Amino acid sequence: MQPMSIEDYVKKHCKGNPDTDPKQLRKSLKQAVQDKKNGEKCRRCGQEIWAIGSAVAYQSCFACLTGEADSSEDYEIKEVCWS
């Protein structure tokens, strides 16, 4: 995972998804980061959640949300980017 701040991710996401409410996305990201810090697990497989994906979809890990195993080119919020 590539670390990224919440603010940088909000800007990047909203640029590609102009209908997204940045305030709501920021709020969802902060909640997902807190959930990950608190040890929240993927509802499907039990692995640690992906905060960015969990903020825009549902609480899940990278693999369950994307169907991919390699997350090396994807982003995660830097304060919980330990994988």
Side-chain angles (χ1 to χ4, degrees), residues 42-59:
C42 175
R43 294 180 180 177
R44 294 178 74 195
C45 73
Q47 296 297 311
E48 72 178 23
I49 63 169
W50 176 33
I52 286 176
S54 295
V56 297
Y58 57 93
Q59 285 188 319

Side-chain angles (χ1 to χ4, degrees), residues 28-71:
S28 296
L29 283 164
K30 288 178 181 179
Q31 182 61 55
V33 164
Q34 189 60 49
D35 291 344
K36 186 168 180 174
K37 285 180 175 180
N38 289 338
E40 191 68 34
K41 302 294 181 190
C42 175
R43 294 180 180 177
R44 294 178 74 195
C45 73
Q47 296 297 311
E48 72 178 23
I49 63 169
W50 176 33
I52 286 176
S54 295
V56 297
Y58 57 93
Q59 285 188 319
S60 197
C61 67
F62 178 83
C64 287
L65 282 171
T66 66
E68 298 176 10
D70 182 10
S71 63

